[in-house]
Amino acid sequence: MTAPPPPPPPYGPPPGGGYPPPPPQPYQGGQPGGFPAPPPPKKKGKGWVIAALVLAVLAAVVIGAVILLQAFGDGNVTATDVKVGDCLAEIPGGDQVARVQTIGCDQQHAGEVFAVLLMPDGDFPGREAVEAYHKRCSPELASYSPASMTDDSVQLYVLYPTAETWEDGDRAVICIATLDPPRTGSIKG
């Protein structure tokens, strides 16, 4: 008995010829049976740059709003807008004061406006004349708060116009009683 012929190899060519032609490749656009060519890869856009810029602008707006609220929020007023009886959270420092922080006199405060004296219109009279005008504050304090005249914790602080603010119409000499240590309640009376 003879042995049966061996089975054909599982991956060999089919009998009678070579392999059939390969199927069309998936990206052979324009060939029968093929898929259309994929779109070209997208260029990396600048979307992330635009998003970062939008976020940066948004952050700047929020930070600006917070700063403006702190600078111009309740109680933060132009120094020339204070009036008699306003209490100050703190005594401003520096040679030129543009803004002050007012608070209720029922809160602890470091100063109280007791007089706002207006200088006469005309040309700027000079720094010495403006500074000398503050001598009118002491009699005003005696009238506003007689007890303060013998209270060593009460001192005078005066805001007055400069040549620059005079040009803008500032004529106010603002007399402030400083309170050291700070206290609650008005000194008036």
Side-chain angles (χ1 to χ4, degrees):
M1 189 167 222
T2 61
Y11 299 109
Y19 290 105
Q25 296 298 313
Y27 299 113
Q28 291 181 343
Q31 292 188 1
F35 297 102
K42 291 184 178 180
K43 293 182 180 179
K44 291 189 177 183
K46 297 180 183 174
W48 65 273
V49 173
I50 292 170
L53 286 173
V54 168
L55 287 175
V57 168
L58 184 61
V61 167
V62 169
I63 291 170
V66 168
I67 290 171
L68 286 174
L69 183 60
Q70 288 177 348
F72 301 105
D74 287 343
N76 190 311
V77 299
T78 303
T80 56
D81 288 341
V82 296
K83 55 191 177 306
V84 173
D86 283 350
C87 288
L88 306 181
E90 58 187 35
I91 301 302
D95 292 339
Q96 295 186 1
V97 177
R99 302 189 73 79
V100 294
Q101 183 69 37
T102 61
I103 59 173
C105 293
D106 59 337
Q107 299 177 39
Q108 189 167 357
H109 55 277
E112 185 170 338
V113 177
F114 62 88
V116 177
L117 310 172
L118 296 178
M119 297 186 69
D121 282 334
D123 292 334
F124 183 67
R127 184 176 175 153
E128 288 179 13
V130 172
E131 288 176 2
Y133 208 82
H134 82 274
K135 292 179 184 175
R136 298 179 184 207
C137 288
S138 187
E140 293 289 332
L141 180 59
S143 184
Y144 184 83
S145 175
S148 295
M149 300 310 291
T150 57
D151 186 345
D152 291 338
S153 67
V154 177
Q155 301 294 315
L156 289 179
Y157 181 81
V158 181
L159 296 175
Y160 43 84
T162 64
E164 294 81 19
T165 63
W166 189 274
E167 291 297 319
D168 294 332
D170 180 14
R171 303 292 186 270
V173 174
I174 302 166
C175 307
I176 301 168
T178 64
L179 310 169
D180 187 21
R183 60 177 82 167
T184 58
S186 175
I187 62 169
K188 185 174 182 172

